Amino acid sequence: MKLLFVASEAYPLVKTGGLGDVAYSLPVALHKAEVDVRLLLPGYRDLLRKLRGVRILGWLELQGAGQLHTVRILESQHPDYPFPLWIVDCPALFDRPGNPYLQPNGYDWADNVERYTVFARAGAELARDALQLDWTPDVVHAHDWQTGLVPAFLDMLPQRPQRIFTIHNLAYGGHFSQADFTRLHLPSYWWSGKARNSTAAFRC
């Protein structure tokens, strides 16, 4: 079985909580059970510094908030991972200091919705082998709100892998406005019929 594991953090590369531990231990355990695993992570500044032997798999043009982002997909190895790591390298979104989700002043990055929507688009594109790597997952496992759009994007494909979505912390829901939804060019039918004004929120 081929598994694409999509997470916004993974120990020891970047970790803020329990998600980082699961994103390390579960795919490693599945690899030992002879599952063919790829772990997809955002290209945070501190994470990239911990990698070695990076190679470019290709480039993707991905829709952001009113603009397209040219994203590099990197492949690398790390001593703690017995399988390839795939990295979404987009400096405009991820080349920042410190915590992956928070500014140095403790507030969320204002463009978190764009950052992780682009990351989710990358996950969906790789799941359909957009770079023609001759590797297509049977299952895509996404984690927490930062990857919540991955199963939704995959559901739009005529031939799609099985999807698993795991919530690790209900306290962090990824709530964003209809204005954000519109600027990200998400399918209009995804917007809830119960949320029709600009103060309502959608959840990744």
Side-chain angles (χ1 to χ4, degrees):
M1 182 174 67
K2 296 178 180 178
L3 169 68
L4 178 61
F5 206 89
V6 187
S8 60
E9 59 181 82
Y11 173 86
L13 298 167
V14 58
K15 169 180 153 58
T16 66
L19 168 60
D21 294 321
V22 173
Y24 163 70
S25 59
L26 181 56
V28 169
L30 292 170
H31 172 81
K32 292 178 180 177
E34 301 186 351
V35 175
D36 184 6
V37 180
R38 302 292 185 274
L39 171 59
L40 182 67
L41 296 164
Y44 306 120
R45 180 183 299 177
D46 289 345
L47 182 150
L48 291 173
R49 289 172 177 169
K50 297 175 183 178
L51 300 178
R52 62 188 185 190
V54 174
R55 72 185 184 101
I56 300 172
L57 296 179
W59 287 262
L60 296 170
E61 293 286 329
L62 301 175
Q63 181 65 56
Q67 63 179 316
L68 288 175
H69 290 278
T70 300
V71 173
R72 290 195 311 174
I73 304 300
L74 308 177
E75 182 177 84
S76 186
Q77 303 289 333
H78 188 274
D80 289 300
Y81 289 92
F83 48 79
L85 302 175
W86 285 357
I87 309 298
V88 177
D89 182 32
C90 182
L93 299 179
F94 299 117
D95 183 16
R96 301 175 186 184
N99 186 292
Y101 318 120
L102 304 176
Q103 302 176 59
N105 62 12
Y107 290 96
D108 289 349
W109 292 108
D111 59 348
N112 272 349
V113 64
E114 179 179 25
R115 299 170 75 216
Y116 293 106
T117 298
V118 171
F119 180 58
R121 289 187 189 276
E125 288 296 290
L126 290 168
R128 69 177 188 89
D129 198 20
L131 295 180
Q132 299 181 5
L133 303 174
D134 195 27
W135 191 91
T136 304
D138 301 297
V139 178
V140 174
H141 192 170
H143 296 265
D144 268 350
W145 75 262
Q146 294 90 347
T147 65
L149 291 179
V150 175
F153 286 132
L154 291 175
D155 198 55
M156 300 169 67
L157 301 179
Q159 295 182 324
R160 50 192 178 268
Q162 297 296 312
R163 285 91 65 211
I164 302 171
F165 179 59
T166 299
I167 298 172
H168 297 263
N169 193 334
L170 284 172
Y172 301 101
H175 297 264
F176 300 101
S177 71
Q178 189 177 38
D180 289 323
F181 182 93
T182 301
R183 290 190 309 118
L184 289 164
H185 297 271
L186 297 171
S188 59
Y189 65 90
W190 284 3
W191 186 259
S192 168
K194 297 178 181 179
R196 295 299 185 190
N197 61 72
S198 59
T199 61
F202 79 97
R203 296 184 64 174
C204 287

